[in-house]
């Protein structure tokens, strides 16, 4: 059971945050029993935890010059929890804090390793845990007004070097440049003097916020406001209702209009008259209400009672890897991160380890190894934090019978009643639903015939398909043997009954052909097909592929040549009904953007109901060919402008030359791409007002992706921001696209302003 703060202690969250602003000495733990004394504190912006080394004679610190102060962003923290220092390894046990503890751990959204800290007493640990939790929780449900204030405060306090809570003209000018506000120094000085009401030559946070808002005027938003508002400078409730229903294509009544006015209008007199000013209208457009993504889809809204084969399932490939597939580290953190991002399908490549303990790693490579037992413990802790729906554990089993029994024993002991059993699936002829298997863990592996205690089974060895020359050279002695195994397509291993008994819903079976599966396979039989073979099947037999996946689960895994852990295009296989398209979650890329965008909907639960054409037996369709006209729609995307883009990396200038690439990914007929021209030195605010039209044959399967790049004629263009979402989750009208970085992190207030229309042709 994960450690929790003692609720009986009189520790207010805000008081803990204030206490964190005082320097606190803690010991940072690293692998190999290394300990480092550090001084930590929360900055006044409440966004950054900074730390600096300290000397301590009792610790094995080196005599080198101490490094400069470094920082962690609170926005990057995924979870913080009390933990326990184990005497066996002198490492924090992140899963077993019993009673008061002076240790705590911080896990991050990106690839930053988990931070393990030892405090001088339990009270300090609890103060930091509760304080960080309070900071994280305060972000939940915050309005666009709060978000903007927080963002401005973060920049303000970072620029306030002497910490006097004020900025002079030089400091304010430098800060505005770092914020990419392209205003001349003389213009800044003029506006600075206007907002410096006391005339003392510096600005406090409120005054600087006023200066920033004056300098970030957007003409295109004012033009829209003037067009949809009545004369007089404000938008009445009648104006707002007309705008919402006619332009934004949403259902709205007087109560809806009143809520928007009360939420976003900041001028008291205007709000009292049930109107919106330009400022309030702008805040509405920048808010969740004005987002391109339909935030109603942040909640579970789909039918979860259909067979598992009727859902796309968020799936991870080689989940244990944090980097590449040749030398990268294997870690249980790979499973934690994948589960936290919503993955419901995990891979475990299992091999015999020392001391009778099975290990997980990428066989025949130099990747490090992690104990099978530790991985199962991590899965037990995190399996159902992000979603209540079933988790698949796909076992690539290379273990001896003896260590297979150890694997079975560990899973039974650690996972217990969470393991899906035959009693959970009474009808073997039909796959159960995600709803019926909530809180269950499904073991995917080969299964012995009834009443067989132990026997040889074919091994679907994905790891054997590595195609890298360096690996082949290192394994020269095995080369001929491995080639013969691949030619035979079947390598025999002995399967222990204890492990076989854990398998029911997902019984691994070699794929021969669609006809063979229809005649011989049961619904619980699941095939794994390599990317290259699956691509060929999609091109030649898309209709048969779709028919097959209406009844059975299919897993598509990356080609062996992807030793850098690159990703395949998932939409190609989703279009053929394939439920499990295994992705390298550790690799940020365009394909991963699509995957995360796909599974953002339905509450991020990791299961997305397939369109009717991919699950109803009476509907026959070939997504590689002509689609009936009744499904067709035209998607129009008008890219109006961009706002507050981040600085391009590895450049001396802070101003980007941005352009926008708009992509549609879906069935082959729908895949398309268009882009704007690039705008020189317009990183803060570029205006295009360019319309693009995309005819969609099957919009239910289409994904829309925006990518903003910095034009560079000499080298590859830097990606400044991206966002992907299903066409079904689009809100029409004038919308903001709130951009994410390459790892899916928030980069507010960076955004695109667009107009969206989705209509029948």
């Amino acid at each position: 059971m994960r450690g929790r703060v003692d609720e009986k202690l009189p520790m207010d969250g805000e008081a803990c945050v204030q206490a964190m602003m005082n320097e606190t000495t803690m010991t940072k733990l690293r692998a190999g029993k290394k300990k480092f004394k550090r001084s930590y504190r929360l900055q006044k912006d409440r966004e950054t935890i900074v730390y600096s080394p300290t000397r301590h004679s009792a610790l094995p610190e080196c005599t080198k010059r101490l490094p400069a102060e470094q920082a962690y962003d609170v926005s990057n923290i995924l979870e913080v929890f009390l933990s326990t220092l184990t005497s066996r390894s002198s490492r924090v046990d992140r899963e077993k804090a019993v009673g008061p503890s002076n240790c705590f751990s911080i896990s991050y959204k990106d690839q930053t390793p988990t931070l393990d800290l030892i405090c001088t007493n339990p009270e300090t640990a609890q103060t930091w845990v509760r304080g960080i939790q309070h900071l994280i929780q305060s972000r939940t449900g915050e309005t666009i007004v709060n978000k903007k204030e927080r963002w401005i405060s973060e920049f303000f306090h970072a620029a306030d070097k002497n910490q006097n809570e004020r900025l002079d003209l030089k400091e304010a000018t430098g800060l505005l440049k770092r914020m990419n506000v392209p205003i001349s120094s003389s213009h800044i000085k003029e506006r600075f003097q206007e907002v410096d009401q006391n005339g003392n030559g510096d600005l406090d946070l409120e005054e600087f916020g006023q200066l920033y808002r004056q300098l970030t005027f957007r003409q295109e938003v004012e033009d829209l406001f003037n067009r949809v508002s009545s004369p007089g400078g404000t938008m009445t409730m009648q104006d707002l209702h007309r705008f919402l229903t006619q332009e934004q294509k949403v259902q709205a009544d007087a109560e809806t209009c009143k809520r928007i006015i009360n939420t976003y209008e900041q001028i008291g007199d205007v709000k009292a008259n049930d109107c919106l000013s330009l400022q309030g209208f702008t805040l509405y457009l920048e808010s969740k209400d004005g987002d391109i993504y339909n935030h109603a889809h942040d909640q579970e809204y789909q039918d979860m009672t259909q067979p598992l084969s009727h859902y796309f399932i968020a799936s991870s490939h080689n989940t244990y890897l944090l980097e590449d597939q040749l030398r990268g580290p294997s870690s249980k953190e790979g499973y934690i991160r994948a589960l936290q991002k919503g993955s419901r399908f995990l891979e475990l490549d299992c091999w015999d380890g020392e001391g009778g303990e099975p290990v997980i790693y990428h066989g025949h490579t130099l990747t490090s190894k992690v104990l099978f037992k530790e991985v199962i413990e991590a899965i037990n802790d995190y399996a159902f934090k992000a979603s209540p729906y079933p988790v698949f554990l796909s076992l690539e089993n290379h273990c001896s019978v003896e260590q297979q029994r150890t694997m079975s024993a560990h899973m039974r002991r650690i996972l217990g009643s969470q393991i899906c059993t035959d009693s959970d699936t009474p009808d073997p002829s039909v796959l159960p639903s995600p709803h019926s298997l909530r809180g269950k863990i499904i073991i995917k592996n080969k299964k012995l015939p009834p009443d067989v205690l132990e026997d040889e089974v074919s091994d679907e060895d994905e790891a054997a398909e590595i195609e890298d020359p360096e690996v082949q050279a290192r394994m020269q002695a095995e080369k001929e043997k491995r080639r013969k195994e691949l030619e035979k397509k079947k390598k025999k291993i002995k399967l222990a009954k204890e492990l076989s008994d854990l398998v029911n819903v997902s019984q691994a079976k070699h794929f021969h052909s669609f006809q063979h599966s229809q005649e011989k396979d049961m619904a619980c039989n699941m095939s794994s097909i390599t990317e290259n073979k699956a691509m060929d099947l999609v091109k030649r037999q898309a209709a048969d592929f779709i028919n097959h996946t209406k009844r059975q689960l299919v897993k598509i895994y990356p080609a062996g040549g992807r030793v850098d852990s690159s990703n395949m295009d998932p939409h190609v296989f989703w279009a053929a009904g394939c439920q499990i398209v295994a992705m390298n979650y550790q690799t940020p890329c365009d394909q991963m953007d699509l995957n995360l965008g796909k599974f953002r909907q339905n509450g991020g639960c990791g299961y997305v109901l397939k369109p009717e054409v991919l699950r109803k037996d009476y509907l026959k369709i070939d997504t590689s060919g002509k689609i009936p006209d009744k499904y067709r729609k035209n998607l129009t995307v008008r890219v109006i402008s961009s706002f507050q883009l981040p600085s391009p990396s590895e450049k001396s200038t802070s101003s980007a030359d941005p352009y926008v690439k708009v992509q549609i990914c879906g069935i082959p007929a729908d895949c398309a791409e268009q882009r704007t021209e690039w705008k020189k030195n317009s990183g803060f605010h570029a205006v295009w007002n360019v319309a693009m039209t995309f005819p969609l044959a099957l919009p239910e399967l289409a994904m829309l992706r925006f990518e903003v790049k910095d034009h560079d004629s000499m080298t590859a263009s830097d990606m400044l921001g991206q966002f992907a979402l299903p066409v079904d989750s689009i809100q029409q009208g004038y919308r903001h696209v709130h951009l994410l970085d390459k790892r899916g992190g928030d980069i507010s207030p960076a955004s695109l302003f667009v107009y969206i229309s989705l209509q029948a042709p």
Side-chain angles (χ1 to χ4, degrees), residues 33-48:
K33 304 181 182 180
K34 293 182 180 179
K35 300 180 180 179
F36 301 89
K37 212 76 169 179
R38 297 286 185 262
S39 179
Y40 292 84
R41 63 180 171 81
L42 175 70
Q43 287 190 327
K44 290 182 179 180
D45 63 3
R46 301 164 67 96
E47 295 297 316
T48 313

Side-chain angles (χ1 to χ4, degrees), residues 325 467 531 558-569 584 591:
Q325 301 183 31
E467 300 164 1
E531 170 190 356
R562 296 187 183 276
V563 294
D564 58 350
S565 293
S566 60
N567 278 307
M568 53 190 163
D569 288 320
N584 288 297
Q591 295 79 13

Side-chain angles (χ1 to χ4, degrees), residues 254-271:
E255 184 177 342
T256 303
C257 297
K258 185 77 172 177
R259 177 186 64 81
I260 289 175
I261 291 170
N262 288 337
T263 302
Y264 303 113
E265 184 51 56
Q266 303 298 295
I267 302 174
D269 292 344
V270 177
K271 181 188 293 188

Side-chain angles (χ1 to χ4, degrees), residues 478-491:
E478 292 188 48
K479 190 172 182 180
E480 291 302 317
K481 177 182 175 183
R482 300 298 293 171
R483 181 181 295 156
K484 289 177 182 179
E485 289 173 355
L486 288 174
E487 287 174 355
K488 291 178 181 178
K489 301 265 184 176
K490 288 184 180 181
K491 178 185 131 185

Side-chain angles (χ1 to χ4, degrees), residues 3 8 12 18 75 109 120 156 159 199 260 286 319 352 398 402 408 410 462 497 499 503 556 562 630-631 646 649 699:
K8 295 180 181 179
D12 175 74
Q18 294 300 319
S75 61
K109 297 175 182 177
T120 55
F156 180 90
I260 289 175
E286 294 175 347
T319 317
D352 282 352
H398 308 276
E402 180 180 354
S408 174
H410 285 324
E462 297 172 14
K497 184 177 186 301
L499 190 57
V503 179
I556 311 299
R562 296 187 183 276
K630 65 179 181 179
Y631 299 109
S649 61

